[in-house]
Amino acid sequence: MSFLSYLINGISLGSVYAIIALGYTMVYGIARMLNFAHGDIIMVGGYAAFFAMVNGGLSPILSVLIAMAVCTLLGLLIERIAYKPLRSAPSLAVLITAIGVSYFLQNLALLLFGANTKTFQSVVTLPSLSLAGGRLQITGTTMVTIAACIIIVVALSLFVNKTRTGQAMLAVSEDRGAAQLMGINVNSTIAITFAIGSALAAIAGVLLCSAYPSLNPYTGSMPGIKAFTAAVFGGIGSIPGAMVGGLLLGVIEILGRAYVSSQLSDAIVFAVLIVILLVKPTGIFGQKIQEKV
């Protein structure tokens, strides 16, 4: 029964990684850039929800919506100021800028909120589910996190494949120049992508802090790196790949922590990633891109 409990916890943690990884995979798939500040947007979302509930006395649902709004605006601001001027710049310049934005957000949070860890109040009020005569307990946060991941992946897939904006995103990801010639506003499409990714980061931040109730300026750093690993694991640029990669990563981490060593769980995760990439360099759902020369 303990294995089943670890498995469910792994799926719950993996669901958070999957939601974060969706932001990475969308931005990379459409804008062809790695937004390493994405993990710090998670932290901003956590703080926004925290202060909305503690200082504002707002309901959990309203606090989550405020966190999403704050992170969406922040994502649009970062894209406009930091990334838009670098559309034609080398990828290394964009990467360095993303790292700079990440450190800027961390240090700004230190100045505004301090370095002390805050205890986060869970936004989930559902009671725990008791199974197998009470031997298996599934918390409300776990159930909501897994359900949120499934709903987000399905909704995002429908949005990308069925809406006009989603088709524009697919066109820009395929060939930015050709999409622009067909009348698609590339800048607006990329901005919408950042907005969606940042809103998802806010949801992930709130769910992460609800499951592990602590919040500080570095809360999003390691989950952001692991979610990027999950995106690469599943095949960066693929929405199903981000979900599968996140779930596998969460399960591997929790099982490694339970059965091998809590200190080596991160090393096990990255070791598995290396093995997967040696076997399939494009990730599980990644496809090889043939370039004409």
Side-chain angles (χ1 to χ4, degrees), residues 3 24 48 77 101 116-117 128 148 171 178 205 216 223 230 237 245 292:
F3 173 79
Y24 277 114
L77 187 65
V101 173
N116 293 332
T117 299
S128 298
N216 61 61
K292 296 180 180 179

Side-chain angles (χ1 to χ4, degrees), residues 35-162:
N35 180 23
F36 279 115
H38 193 64
D40 299 289
I41 297 176
I42 300 167
M43 171 266 297
V44 173
Y47 273 110
F50 175 83
F51 285 113
M53 286 189 292
V54 175
N55 293 7
L58 301 178
S59 66
I61 293 176
L62 193 54
S63 299
V64 173
L65 293 176
I66 288 174
M68 291 175 65
V70 169
C71 288
T72 298
L73 291 174
L74 178 62
L76 290 171
L77 187 65
I78 290 172
E79 192 277 330
R80 183 67 180 270
I81 295 175
Y83 299 139
K84 187 177 179 180
L86 300 176
R87 287 275 193 271
S88 303
S91 57
L92 182 60
V94 180
L95 179 62
I96 293 172
T97 301
I99 295 172
V101 173
S102 173
Y103 280 115
F104 173 78
L105 291 176
Q106 287 178 14
N107 285 277
L108 183 63
L110 279 171
L111 289 173
L112 294 176
F113 312 127
N116 293 332
T117 299
K118 293 175 171 55
T119 302
F120 192 90
Q121 177 185 346
S122 176
V123 298
V124 180
T125 56
L126 289 177
S128 298
L129 180 64
S130 181
L131 300 174
R135 289 180 295 168
L136 179 62
Q137 296 285 334
I138 305 175
T139 65
T141 301
T142 296
M143 291 186 287
V144 169
T145 301
I146 295 172
C149 177
I150 295 170
I151 292 169
I152 287 171
V153 169
V154 172
L156 198 58
S157 297
L158 291 174
F159 173 79
V160 169
N161 293 303
K162 300 297 183 180

